[in-house]
Each structure stands twice: as structure tokens, then as C-alpha cells.
Amino acid sequence: MKTGRITARIAGTAAAVAVLGGAALAMAPTAAAKANVVSIDKVTLDGQRLSVNLGYSCDTGYTFGLAGKVTKADGKADPVSTATGTVPAGEITCDYKTRALRLNLEQAPGSHFAPGDDVKVTVDFTEENGPGLSGEEIITTL
């Protein structure tokens, strides 16, 4: 065989491998690269009602819930104002897609929030038997 023919065969084999590899990658499920994630988009104060708009994505087969907590982050020594809310385990849809949710929070007795307050917001995945995966935590101003 001549050198030109060997080079052509090697190039042809390399091209075939690249095409087949690309096809396999294109056919792979998009969820293979996903993780169980929570992202906090916005914290809203309407009167004394707090809510957190968030996005989440979780893999199929999980029965996660969500737990959210807002705490005043002003650094004062007085009792800390808090508000919490949950979505029970199994009540969110885990199907690899990114979904949006509004989590309404209930304030603890004696808590007070006002526009301009700095707050720490935490949202985590929960499971039936207790804590699940950690989600996201941010500090923002109402």
C-alpha cells in the first residue's frame, strides 16, 4: 500500500469515530449533566407577608420537598425575626426540568419585617426522613 492510501484510511477512520462519538453524545439524555439545584430569584414583602420566588431542578426518582427560611441580618442583639415555609417531601416535581415555585412564608410570633431590612434567605431540599440536600443561601434587602 502506498503512503497516500494509508493516510486516507487513517483520516477516514478518524472522521467516522468523530461522527459516531458526536452522535452518541447528542443522543445522551440531557439530564445526565444536571444536578439537584435550587436558585433564589426574588424575595417579596407584601405588607407583612414574605414569599420567595425560586427555581429548582431535581433528578427523577427523588421525593424531595423544600424548606425556606428568612432571618433578619441586621446584626442587632434583639430577638431575631424569622419566617419559614415548606413544601412537603414528594410535593415537588422531579423530572430534570427547571421549574419555578413561589414559597409563602409564615412569620414567627413577634417577628417584624419592613422594606429596607437586610435578610438572609436559605432554601434547601428536604426528604421524608429529615434534611436533604443543601440548596442556596443569599443575603438581600427587602
Side-chain angles (χ1 to χ4, degrees):
M1 249 201 256
K2 294 184 180 177
T3 309
R5 289 177 69 181
I6 291 174
T7 305
R9 281 189 178 190
I10 291 172
T13 302
V17 168
V19 167
L20 291 174
L25 184 59
M27 292 174 58
T30 56
K34 280 236 175 181
N36 301 311
V37 293
V38 175
S39 63
I40 299 168
D41 298 325
K42 184 178 176 183
V43 181
T44 306
L45 176 64
D46 182 17
Q48 274 298 297
R49 184 179 243 345
L50 281 166
S51 61
V52 178
N53 292 345
L54 56 95
Y56 73 90
S57 177
C58 49
D59 295 337
T60 59
Y62 287 100
T63 54
F64 287 131
L66 291 168
K69 182 176 183 179
V70 173
T71 307
K72 264 194 185 177
D74 59 10
K76 294 183 181 174
D78 3 324
V80 177
S81 291
T82 60
T84 58
T86 60
V87 176
E91 294 293 314
I92 64 172
T93 303
C94 289
D95 61 359
Y96 303 124
K97 295 179 182 176
T98 300
R99 297 184 171 271
L101 177 76
R102 182 182 192 127
L103 182 61
N104 292 319
L105 307 173
E106 294 294 322
Q107 292 185 32
S111 294
H112 176 76
F113 294 92
D117 286 347
D118 288 330
V119 294
K120 179 169 84 170
V121 184
T122 307
V123 178
D124 297 312
F125 283 109
T126 60
E127 295 185 75
E128 285 182 296
N129 299 327
L133 303 171
S134 58
E136 185 175 33
E137 178 177 290
I138 64 167
I139 294 180
T140 188
T141 303
L142 294 176

